[in-house]
Amino acid sequence: MQLLFEALVAALYASRRGLTAYALLAIACIALLPPCYNGQLQRDFYSSVHNLLSLVKQEQDVRLMLLAYAERLKTLQANIVNFVESRQPYHDLRNPSEVSDYLKHPVHAFHLTKRMIVDLGSIESQIHELHASDPLHNITAMRTNRLLPWDEDFNGIASSLVRLQDTYLLDMDDLISGHLTPSTVTSGPQKNRTVHGRVPLNARDCYFMGQVALHNGFYDRAVEWIERAVAETSQEQSPSIAKEELSSYLDSVIKKHDDVLDSMGKAGQHWQTYGVPVRERGKRPLNFQTKLFEDRLTFAQEAQNYKRLCRGEQLRTPKMDSHLRCRYYHGRDGFFRLQPVKIEEANLKPYIIVFHDIIGDRDIEELLAFATPRLANYGVGGQYVAHHDFLADIYNDPNRKGNAAFWWNLNSDGEGEVLTKHGGCPVLYGSKWIANKWFRSNSNVFRLPCSVNRK
């Protein structure tokens, strides 16, 4: 293990001496508020700030395209109105014989023919040109090529907002006003911090959020969103949705919540409730006792652990942390004598350590410039669900840019270590970039031989 550990540290530090490729410039994490919980890597517009930035550019292009189209429409409309309102001498003739006498004049016949060929032909040409430059063709092509979002992106961003609300217990009044205020139980960098926004949500927005929450199994949050939609529509001068429609829908959502609670239980892998009927939610709050270091947890318990960790709550006891140590690692390389590695033990079994300041800002910038969009970039609600990587894995420390976490995902007999299940919290605000470095066990069989004893 010592030899493989030496190889790990050397790989992480070699970039500072120009000895490795960019692939070994290990961990970059950029986040204004901590990002973690629930999910496979998302590659949608809404969950990547990199993609959202490109979407702003596309929005500007679409605006210019539509503006140019509107100007051409104005010109065509003016020409059509001018053609229609242009009075001709024969318009005032009522008797067919008078019209016939008028057209016997060759100059009159010339002007009528010119009007229907030249003047009308000009309008025809403009209509054809307008049709050829119809922005609908370009917009459709942009959607087909994923340069513009699809319906699932809109549903995705709404799902992310629901997930953020649920994970960080965001204040609903502030959220509807466009602000992000985590719960008072939240600790860490986001504690007592409100991220102000500029655009509020209206009643129809709340209604849509409730529908999305219901579809994703957040039955408790669905009730809250529809209740807020009812309240908001009462305050809107021009209601964005009929209050009668909302009231009947709220009744159906409450019934759905209580039916799920009765038939499926308080919470599971794909659903959650208040744990009590909606009408009784203020009487018996749903509490979970913290359980750690168990091979199997219920989905509800695991979800609660993740969300509490994302909020910065301390689940470990002082006794658990009493044997953890921090140290400098000098290795057997003269370079590490001059610049030792700062190591912090995060857990002893399974063994998890954090390398502090393992990669600098300049290296991070070079890595991002080289690897975008290969690196995983998490934007609004971007997440990685709890999962196992049965390989020796390096992962980012979400609390500080430039840190790296390391653990063994395999036991000495080659079997997977179930206690290394891990995930990434949803990004509340900002952007998070991560990179992984995996050390294959089969490639290091002589450095770290497999044990014949099952442990």
Side-chain angles (χ1 to χ4, degrees), residues 167-220:
T167 301
Y168 297 107
L169 301 179
L170 299 179
D171 182 275
M172 282 293 286
D173 289 331
D174 283 356
L175 185 57
I176 291 173
S177 298
H179 313 308
L180 304 175
T181 304
S183 163
T184 54
V185 303
T186 302
S187 59
Q190 73 272 46
K191 183 178 181 180
N192 299 325
R193 178 180 178 182
T194 297
V195 180
H196 294 281
R198 301 181 182 182
V199 185
L201 301 174
N202 62 25
R204 179 167 288 279
D205 294 331
C206 295
Y207 171 67
F208 177 69
M209 297 294 294
Q211 290 180 309
V212 171
L214 188 70
H215 177 75
N216 285 281
F218 292 93
Y219 296 103
D220 48 353

Side-chain angles (χ1 to χ4, degrees), residues 135-367:
L136 181 61
H137 302 307
N138 290 334
I139 292 174
T140 301
M142 293 171 75
R143 288 206 189 279
T144 302
N145 295 320
R146 290 296 274 147
L147 297 176
L148 293 177
W150 293 354
D151 289 344
E152 47 262 43
D153 290 302
F154 185 47
N155 291 326
I157 186 65
S159 299
S160 295
L161 280 174
V162 172
R163 187 182 306 114
L164 290 172
Q165 172 212 3
D166 182 66
T167 301
Y168 297 107
L169 301 179
L170 299 179
D171 182 275
M172 282 293 286
D173 289 331
D174 283 356
L175 185 57
I176 291 173
S177 298
H179 313 308
L180 304 175
T181 304
S183 163
T184 54
V185 303
T186 302
S187 59
Q190 73 272 46
K191 183 178 181 180
N192 299 325
R193 178 180 178 182
T194 297
V195 180
H196 294 281
R198 301 181 182 182
V199 185
L201 301 174
N202 62 25
R204 179 167 288 279
D205 294 331
C206 295
Y207 171 67
F208 177 69
M209 297 294 294
Q211 290 180 309
V212 171
L214 188 70
H215 177 75
N216 285 281
F218 292 93
Y219 296 103
D220 48 353
R221 305 306 177 194
V223 172
E224 294 170 10
W225 278 108
I226 303 303
E227 286 177 336
R228 295 312 299 258
V230 173
E232 288 299 309
T233 195
S234 300
Q235 300 176 15
E236 294 177 344
Q237 292 184 346
S238 300
S240 54
I241 187 171
K243 186 175 182 179
E244 297 74 18
E245 178 182 351
L246 287 175
S247 298
S248 60
Y249 186 67
L250 176 59
D251 292 337
S252 67
V253 171
I254 292 175
K255 183 177 185 304
K256 180 66 174 179
H257 171 281
D258 292 349
D259 288 346
V260 169
L261 175 64
D262 291 339
S263 61
M264 301 172 64
K266 298 178 180 179
Q269 184 176 10
H270 301 297
W271 83 93
Q272 65 180 51
T273 68
Y274 287 115
V276 295
V278 172
R279 306 301 182 189
E280 302 176 16
R281 57 186 156 172
K283 302 177 182 178
R284 292 181 292 163
L286 180 60
N287 294 318
F288 288 88
Q289 182 179 0
T290 301
K291 295 181 180 179
L292 301 175
F293 302 107
E294 296 185 11
D295 289 351
R296 290 188 178 277
L297 294 174
T298 65
F299 289 115
Q301 179 67 61
E302 184 176 278
Q304 287 299 316
N305 283 355
Y306 268 107
K307 286 184 276 191
R308 292 178 64 187
L309 287 171
C310 289
R311 293 194 291 266
E313 296 182 38
Q314 180 58 259
L315 304 188
R316 297 169 62 94
T317 65
K319 183 178 180 180
M320 292 178 183
D321 293 340
S322 62
H323 300 291
L324 302 179
R325 299 290 183 267
C326 295
R327 66 182 185 276
Y328 284 103
Y329 178 77
H330 298 279
R332 292 175 290 184
D333 188 316
F335 178 79
F336 296 126
R337 294 289 177 182
L338 297 174
Q339 192 170 5
V341 182
K342 292 179 284 187
I343 293 178
E344 175 188 357
E345 292 178 342
N347 196 67
L348 297 180
K349 185 174 176 57
Y351 190 61
I352 303 173
I353 57 176
V354 176
F355 298 96
H356 287 272
D357 303 319
I358 198 66
I359 182 171
D361 289 344
R362 186 181 68 179
D363 293 330
I364 290 174
E365 292 173 2
E366 291 177 353
L367 179 60

